[in-house]
Amino acid sequence: MALVTMGPMLKRARTKGYGIAAYNMIDYNSARAIVEGACALDAPIIVQVSVKTVKHWGYKPIALWVRELSASVDIPVALHLDHCTDLDVLRRCVDAGWTSVMFDGSSLPFAENLEKSLKAYEMTQEARVGLEAEIGAIGGVEDDKHINEDDARLANFDECVRFVRDMPNLAVFAPAIGTAHGVYKGEAKIAYDLLERITNAIDIPIALHGGTGLTEQQFHRCIAGGCAKVNISTMHKILFINSFVALKQEKPKLEEPLAFIARQNEEMKEDVMTVIGVLGSSGKAGDALQSIIAGK
Ligand SMILES: [Zn+2]
């Protein structure tokens, strides 16, 4: 089926209490593993792309790959741009066929973040593309952005309310609640109380960034607290490389590239399926589709 926008299905996921996985693709093979993993479990899925990856492959190839993958399955697939700080890049993705985008103005002062997010909001509303925006500073490394532990900043509750009031139709909102990008050193310290306050005040699904390394219990608590979009990137990157290395170590004489690509696909797909199982979105493709048809 055609690519879908993520807003209605995330709203439905929040209402029904499950999470939709948003996996960062690296290339065609990884995008295929993401869609195939979701398809095997009849789950809705978000394929997301970092700005760095978009610039590496180009706008059109990525849009074409994911559109083709989506066309061959019956589950809802959204193509999302992750952590974009540049409105021109965002515009080009919208023009190339992305169905949802994130504008990340979190490193800007509040007023400037709001102003630029509103520009992104206008752009996406016109094109009927879903928008994600961020408040606070999510720690760790994402693309070329490095935020160390000391600079990571939880979202300010009042700012969250003001921000969302001006963008009533945000598809998903990403307040920093203590999770971080990359690999956690200890257990992630999630500010559940803040998540609860935000969820009670704002009727918009929440995005959980830094999903790699969270425990099953943490996922469940965050989903129960209003998180509907669950981002996974680091684990996918680790498997992308380690699957190649492991196969070469097992069979040093193997030189057929397709065997490595098949192994990579298999391992990434398995991870996607495990995560979908934990998030509770197995078998929810039909439910998500109904929300899209209903437009809410
Ligand atoms: Zn993120």
Side-chain angles (χ1 to χ4, degrees):
M1 57 182 290
L3 289 168
V4 302
T5 184
M6 66 179 176
M9 66 180 184
L10 289 174
K11 243 186 201 173
R12 177 71 64 109
R14 174 174 158 167
T15 310
K16 296 276 188 81
Y18 59 87
I20 297 180
Y23 263 86
N24 281 67
M25 61 168 275
I26 302 148
D27 65 354
Y28 176 74
N29 197 33
S30 69
R32 200 171 84 157
I34 297 164
V35 174
E36 284 177 350
C39 190
L41 293 177
D42 197 31
I45 191 82
I46 297 166
V47 178
Q48 59 186 25
V49 197
S50 72
V51 172
K52 199 193 262 181
T53 307
V54 175
K55 288 186 174 167
H56 180 86
W57 295 112
Y59 295 80
K60 282 189 180 166
I62 289 180
L64 186 70
W65 294 337
V66 181
R67 206 181 297 133
E68 280 302 306
L69 286 165
S70 174
S72 65
V73 295
D74 292 327
I75 54 163
V77 179
L79 172 58
H80 178 68
L81 175 67
D82 198 19
H83 288 284
C84 182
T85 55
D86 182 336
L87 287 170
D88 289 333
V89 171
L90 194 134
R91 157 72 73 191
R92 290 185 70 180
C93 283
V94 169
D95 290 345
W98 262 250
T99 54
S100 88
V101 290
M102 174 182 192
F103 177 71
D104 177 358
S106 60
S107 59
L108 303 169
F110 177 78
E112 210 179 327
N113 182 4
L114 180 60
E115 189 195 319
K116 288 201 166 168
S117 296
L118 277 169
K119 280 192 184 141
Y121 185 70
E122 278 165 29
M123 244 183 239
T124 53
Q125 294 298 294
E126 273 169 27
R128 301 175 72 86
V129 161
L131 178 68
E132 174 176 353
E134 179 178 331
I135 285 275
I138 297 168
V141 179
E142 180 70 44
D143 251 11
D144 294 324
K145 211 169 112 182
H146 300 247
I147 297 189
N148 61 36
E149 250 172 80
D150 296 338
D151 293 329
R153 184 168 33 82
L154 289 181
N156 174 292
F157 173 75
D158 294 326
E159 285 183 356
C160 289
V161 175
R162 278 166 56 203
F163 193 85
V164 169
R165 190 190 51 203
D166 287 342
M167 280 171 273
N169 201 22
L170 263 188
V172 63
F173 180 53
I177 55 165
T179 55
H181 300 120
V183 177
Y184 292 100
K185 283 182 202 126
E187 193 166 298
K189 292 183 191 71
I190 302 175
Y192 294 110
D193 49 341
L194 176 64
L195 174 61
E196 200 178 314
R197 278 185 82 199
I198 294 171
T199 298
N200 286 337
I202 294 171
D203 191 25
I204 286 174
I206 304 295
L208 182 65
H209 284 248
T212 298
L214 297 185
T215 64
E216 221 172 297
Q217 196 202 9
Q218 286 174 320
F219 277 129
H220 290 163
R221 229 177 133 182
C222 288
I223 291 168
C227 291
K229 175 175 180 274
V230 180
N231 290 12
I232 311 277
S233 175
T234 305
M235 182 46 80
H236 210 61
K237 289 181 190 165
I238 291 172
L239 291 173
F240 186 89
I241 292 170
N242 288 6
S243 53
F244 261 58
V245 176
L247 185 56
K248 192 65 185 169
Q249 280 169 348
E250 277 168 33
K251 297 180 178 172
K253 288 188 180 154
L254 185 65
E255 282 173 348
E256 168 54 58
L258 291 176
F260 289 87
I261 286 170
R263 172 70 166 261
Q264 196 187 40
N265 181 273
E266 196 181 299
E267 290 200 15
M268 291 189 292
K269 185 173 157 183
E270 248 172 57
D271 180 60
V272 171
M273 290 171 72
T274 305
V275 167
I276 286 173
V278 172
L279 304 186
S281 52
S282 262
K284 302 291 188 199
D287 187 52
L289 270 176
Q290 273 178 21
S291 69
I292 294 159
I293 293 162
K296 55 189 175 187

